Amino acid sequence: MKPKITLKDIARELEVSISTVSKALKNSEEISRDTKDKIQAFAKLYNYKPNNIAVSLKNRRTKNIGVIIPDIVHHFFTTVIRGIEKYANAKGYNVLVCVSNEGYEREVINMELLANGSIDGFIMSLSTETQQKNDYNHIKEVTDQGIPMVMFDRVTDRINCDKVVIDDAQGAFLAVKKFVESGKKKIALITTDDYLSVGKDRTEGYKKALSHYNIPLEESLILKLPSMEVEASAFDTFFKTQEVDAVLCVNEIFAIHAMRLVHGMNKRIPEDISFIGFTDGLLSKFAMPSLTAIAQHGELMGEEAARMLIEKVETENEEETFSTTVLEPTLIERASTL
Amino acid sequence: MKPKITLKDIARELEVSISTVSKALKNSEEISRDTKDKIQAFAKLYNYKPNNIAVSLKNRRTKNIGVIIPDIVHHFFTTVIRGIEKYANAKGYNVLVCVSNEGYEREVINMELLANGSIDGFIMSLSTETQQKNDYNHIKEVTDQGIPMVMFDRVTDRINCDKVVIDDAQGAFLAVKKFVESGKKKIALITTDDYLSVGKDRTEGYKKALSHYNIPLEESLILKLPSMEVEASAFDTFFKTQEVDAVLCVNEIFAIHAMRLVHGMNKRIPEDISFIGFTDGLLSKFAMPSLTAIAQHGELMGEEAARMLIEKVETENEEETFSTTVLEPTLIERASTL
DNA sequence: TTGTACGCGTTATCAC
DNA sequence: GTGATAACGCGTACAA
């Protein structure tokens, strides 16, 4: 209906040259008041806005930042995106979100797509499958091209770039500390397989804390699930065979599920069994009883990642110096602990 | 380190013209086997990929679709995005997500930014503030420019475009029907102010259903909150002053909150009071007791919206015919109803 | 079979 | 003060 108006259109209409229009709209001193007024009025009337694509082509800067996350229906990742958006928008950047859906293939495809000029830099968190395959060539290619990259939460040592993570071991430590201080002795851990970097760190923190408090480590008190999916039977047999008085869960869902199960076994929460879950999301707040949680500070993480990325994007600096920001987790105490 | 390689680079290196390279890479019949082989091999070696920006400028097609949502930390919207992503990626499109954060200003800014060439079309859901202000000029400007637009969930009659919505009235009807069939008589509604299109439709469906089942409408059984935020005191006085045996809530959070309150008043759920909540999200599944919910089919909604948009984007068709897809909600029965 | 020229919309440089 | 020209990277109609 009202096709977009260009510099050329204005120039033709006002019978001046394209460059005059361009300068006038940038309020250049070279142009006379008269013509500037005329051109600016006309531009406003027809609501002229420069074409981003053309500007990008010219500047070799898109003002877009690409975000690759494993899953968008996941509270933690959405809070990170919110943080990224917040900071990026304030700096005049758009956020291009792509979801790998926890798959290697989609991660590669999405990155290749965006890397071909659509974005000025990446912020990403690795998909489960990528971590399993342990194959990071697609990421190496991107960084080798000189495209700035910031990884968050699920990171790898194999790539040299800026990173922002939570001290997951410390989070687990905090949880165990809380349990110990409220008199718990048989502290269980429900987690996933070790290929997830976060799972590994949390397990480590759990073990370290036990040894710190002189509690013998019993491998039978660690339940390792092969994936993020809840396997009811595994939970069932675990709680039927093990005697525990405190449970640390690697995510909310595991914790909620376990609490329900325990509730059905006529045990009291938190008196008989206490619970703490990682990732302070909606479920923790609204669970019955509400769940004591280790907050991951996703929004802060997003802001920090965006800050680091934009810093790199906007400095011509050729020196390759990378840093890793480690955020401290926080224990949010609720009704599932004493 | 390895700056991006262009057609020009290849041409210079192989001492042919740029267009020869371009044609060779598109496997044009015009080019001899020999040169094609040579060029293709070279391109692969240096991992040549066409610059998206340049292609976009040329084609006046970006292969990006812009999505504007009110809030990303909201399960419903993320499921919609998942649906959009799924369909769009399959069709070779990227998804550019911007969050209005329920604000008019950010909605306008984001749309203007994206509208200037960054995207081929919009998929959006209105922010609360925009619906309150009832000002849609920014959207009209976009559609007037001929940029395809699909609105979902929170839509308005004031804009002529494709839409995809859930039959919210029908959803409320289903809920009331369920209550009535299990013998409930005093059916309450907890909702938000009417400026939210969805809230209005749901209230309408609730009233229609009551009249259909010959239950007198009592305005005192409708609790209207001014925003999506939970106001504990309002809930408190409501349940202390009103005699109810069933509650329909316009969202999960309200429902969970109300259930907790009622639980504390020593009433049994669902025997004494039954609950149904809109938007079947994580909270509903994991609540105690689990919450019977009206599923909004967000993912389907996203796919449908993306389908409609890409259809419009890819057809040159000048005729302006718009359609509205109405999805049917589904009642997911859980433990909070008889 | 290969190359030239042009246009997409913008900006920067330089000439008039 | 204003305008012509080149360049960003690509694709394509047309010329050689």
Side-chain angles (χ1 to χ4, degrees):
Chain A
M1 174 157 283
K2 192 168 60 174
K4 229 164 291 172
I5 190 167
T6 71
L7 286 186
K8 195 198 274 182
D9 298 329
I10 302 182
R12 184 170 6 83
E13 215 61 35
L14 262 41
E15 300 187 302
V16 290
S17 79
I18 294 179
S19 36
T20 304
V21 178
S22 175
K23 285 173 190 162
L25 292 178
K26 305 200 81 187
N27 231 325
S28 162
E29 290 305 324
E30 298 179 34
I31 309 295
S32 70
R33 261 267 64 84
D34 270 12
T35 33
K36 273 203 286 196
D37 286 348
K38 195 174 58 178
I39 291 174
Q40 286 173 0
F42 189 90
K44 185 174 290 176
L45 180 63
Y46 284 92
N47 194 28
Y48 169 80
K49 294 278 167 52
N51 179 320
N52 290 334
I53 296 290
V55 175
S56 293
L57 183 59
K58 186 112 240 298
N59 302 343
R60 279 105 152 276
R61 281 277 171 77
T62 62
K63 283 272 186 179
N64 288 159
I65 78 185
V67 177
I68 314 264
I69 49 170
D71 184 5
I72 195 157
V73 187
H74 191 307
H75 188 261
F76 172 68
F77 290 120
T78 59
T79 57
V80 175
I81 292 186
R82 173 189 268 178
I84 295 174
E85 268 255 345
K86 194 169 149 190
Y87 189 91
N89 282 337
K91 288 281 187 179
Y93 284 76
N94 294 315
V95 176
L96 238 149
V97 176
C98 282
V99 181
S100 65
N101 204 21
E102 298 287 12
Y104 172 80
E105 203 67 39
R106 280 234 65 79
E107 190 174 292
V108 174
I109 291 176
N110 280 326
M111 290 194 64
E112 282 188 352
L113 213 55
L114 297 188
N116 299 320
S118 301
I119 49 92
D120 295 336
F122 278 109
I123 295 177
M124 76 176 299
S125 192
L126 295 167
S127 77
T128 307
E129 207 186 336
T130 304
Q131 291 195 110
Q132 275 171 308
K133 290 186 68 142
N134 207 28
D135 180 349
Y136 306 107
N137 285 320
H138 55 303
I139 302 178
K140 211 167 191 60
E141 261 174 36
V142 164
T143 54
D144 279 356
Q145 274 177 45
I147 300 178
M149 153 87 64
V150 177
M151 300 188 43
F152 72 91
D153 198 53
R154 301 204 204 148
V155 306
T156 173
D157 291 339
R158 300 268 303 284
I159 297 291
N160 251 318
C161 66
D162 286 326
K163 288 159 196 169
V164 38
V165 294
I166 276 278
D167 187 343
D168 276 300
Q170 173 63 9
F173 193 98
L174 283 178
V176 172
K177 176 164 178 274
K178 170 71 188 166
F179 285 145
V180 171
E181 286 175 351
S182 55
K184 301 296 185 177
K185 307 278 187 206
K186 309 284 276 182
I187 301 169
L189 172 68
I190 302 184
T191 182
T192 56
D193 266 346
D194 279 348
Y195 55 78
L196 278 179
S197 53
V198 292
K200 198 170 158 192
D201 292 345
R202 290 171 190 174
T203 303
E204 215 169 80
Y206 162 84
K207 290 182 178 173
K208 195 171 290 176
L210 288 185
S211 105
H212 179 265
Y213 288 106
N214 294 315
I215 298 178
L217 169 66
E218 294 181 44
E219 288 289 348
S220 63
L221 287 188
I222 300 181
L223 173 59
K224 264 189 197 164
L225 284 309
S227 81
M228 304 273 276
E229 301 302 310
V230 171
E231 280 181 42
S233 61
F235 277 74
D236 222 47
T237 54
F238 182 79
F239 281 102
K240 280 197 176 121
T241 56
Q242 301 298 326
E243 195 69 36
V244 304
D245 59 10
V247 184
L248 170 60
C249 295
V250 85
N251 63 43
E252 288 187 314
I253 310 247
F254 286 180
I256 302 290
H257 192 80
M259 285 207 292
R260 285 185 145 191
L261 201 71
V262 164
H263 187 85
M265 294 163 85
N266 281 324
K267 303 217 184 183
R268 293 167 306 162
I269 303 173
E271 294 83 357
D272 299 331
I273 305 191
S274 291
F275 281 89
I276 296 181
F278 265 89
T279 305
D280 178 44
L282 274 188
L283 287 177
S284 303
K285 276 188 208 69
F286 290 101
M288 287 266 273
S290 60
L291 178 67
T292 294
I294 298 153
Q296 307 291 99
H297 305 300
E299 187 162 344
L300 199 64
M301 212 157 171
E303 285 181 58
E304 173 65 9
R307 197 192 58 69
M308 291 173 111
L309 185 70
I310 291 176
E311 166 85 22
K312 275 282 193 300
V313 167
E314 295 189 344
T315 62
E316 307 297 326
N317 196 346
E318 285 306 308
E319 304 178 38
E320 304 220 342
T321 78
F322 302 116
S323 64
T324 297
T325 302
V326 180
L327 302 177
E328 289 304 313
T330 314
L331 193 74
I332 312 283
E333 300 196 27
R334 297 209 181 84
S336 67
T337 48
L338 291 169
Chain B
M1 175 156 282
K2 195 168 59 175
K4 229 164 289 171
I5 190 168
T6 71
L7 286 185
K8 195 199 275 183
D9 298 328
I10 302 182
R12 183 170 8 83
E13 214 64 34
L14 263 42
E15 300 185 304
V16 291
S17 81
I18 294 178
S19 50
T20 305
V21 178
S22 174
K23 284 173 189 161
L25 292 179
K26 305 202 76 185
N27 232 325
S28 160
E29 291 304 325
E30 298 179 31
I31 309 297
S32 71
R33 261 269 63 86
D34 269 10
T35 34
K36 272 202 287 194
D37 286 348
K38 195 175 56 177
I39 292 174
Q40 287 173 359
F42 189 90
K44 185 172 291 176
L45 180 62
Y46 283 92
N47 194 27
Y48 168 80
K49 293 277 168 52
N51 179 321
N52 289 335
I53 296 289
V55 175
S56 294
L57 184 59
K58 181 123 244 300
N59 302 343
R60 279 107 150 273
R61 283 277 171 77
T62 63
K63 283 272 186 179
N64 288 159
I65 77 186
V67 178
I68 314 265
I69 50 169
D71 184 6
I72 195 156
V73 187
H74 191 307
H75 188 262
F76 172 68
F77 290 121
T78 58
T79 56
V80 175
I81 293 186
R82 174 188 267 176
I84 294 174
E85 267 256 344
K86 193 168 150 190
Y87 189 90
N89 282 338
K91 288 281 186 178
Y93 284 76
N94 294 314
V95 176
L96 236 148
V97 176
C98 282
V99 180
S100 64
N101 204 20
E102 299 286 13
Y104 172 80
E105 203 66 39
R106 281 234 64 79
E107 190 174 291
V108 174
I109 291 175
N110 280 326
M111 289 194 66
E112 282 188 353
L113 214 56
L114 297 188
N116 298 322
S118 301
I119 50 91
D120 295 336
F122 277 110
I123 295 178
M124 77 177 298
S125 192
L126 294 167
S127 78
T128 307
E129 208 185 335
T130 304
Q131 291 194 112
Q132 274 171 308
K133 290 185 66 142
N134 207 28
D135 180 348
Y136 306 107
N137 286 320
H138 54 303
I139 303 178
K140 210 166 192 64
E141 259 172 38
V142 163
T143 54
D144 279 355
Q145 273 176 44
I147 300 178
M149 153 86 64
V150 177
M151 300 190 38
F152 72 91
D153 198 51
R154 302 205 205 146
V155 306
T156 173
D157 291 340
R158 302 266 303 282
I159 296 291
N160 250 319
C161 67
D162 287 327
K163 288 161 195 165
V164 38
V165 294
I166 274 279
D167 187 342
D168 276 300
Q170 173 64 8
F173 193 98
L174 283 178
V176 172
K177 176 164 179 271
K178 170 71 189 167
F179 285 144
V180 171
E181 286 174 353
S182 54
K184 302 295 185 178
K185 307 278 186 205
K186 310 284 277 182
I187 302 170
L189 172 68
I190 301 184
T191 181
T192 57
D193 266 347
D194 279 348
Y195 56 78
L196 278 178
S197 53
V198 293
K200 198 170 157 191
D201 292 345
R202 289 169 192 176
T203 304
E204 212 170 83
Y206 163 82
K207 291 182 177 173
K208 195 172 289 174
L210 288 185
S211 104
H212 180 265
Y213 288 107
N214 293 316
I215 298 177
L217 169 65
E218 293 181 45
E219 288 290 348
S220 64
L221 288 187
I222 301 182
L223 174 59
K224 265 190 195 164
L225 284 309
S227 80
M228 305 273 276
E229 300 303 310
V230 171
E231 281 181 42
S233 62
F235 277 74
D236 223 47
T237 55
F238 182 79
F239 281 103
K240 279 196 178 122
T241 57
Q242 301 299 324
E243 195 70 35
V244 305
D245 59 9
V247 184
L248 171 59
C249 296
V250 85
N251 64 44
E252 288 187 314
I253 309 244
F254 287 179
I256 302 290
H257 192 80
M259 285 207 293
R260 286 185 143 191
L261 203 71
V262 163
H263 188 84
M265 296 164 82
N266 281 323
K267 303 217 183 181
R268 293 166 305 162
I269 302 172
E271 295 82 356
D272 300 330
I273 305 191
S274 290
F275 282 89
I276 296 181
F278 266 88
T279 304
D280 178 44
L282 274 189
L283 287 178
S284 303
K285 275 187 209 68
F286 290 101
M288 287 266 273
S290 60
L291 178 66
T292 294
I294 299 151
Q296 307 290 101
H297 305 300
E299 189 162 343
L300 199 64
M301 212 155 168
E303 284 181 59
E304 174 65 8
R307 198 192 57 68
M308 290 173 113
L309 184 71
I310 291 176
E311 167 84 21
K312 276 282 193 301
V313 167
E314 295 190 342
T315 61
E316 308 296 326
N317 198 345
E318 287 305 308
E319 305 179 37
E320 304 221 343
T321 77
F322 301 117
S323 63
T324 296
T325 302
V326 179
L327 301 177
E328 289 302 314
T330 315
L331 192 74
I332 313 283
E333 300 196 26
R334 298 210 179 83
S336 68
T337 48
L338 291 170

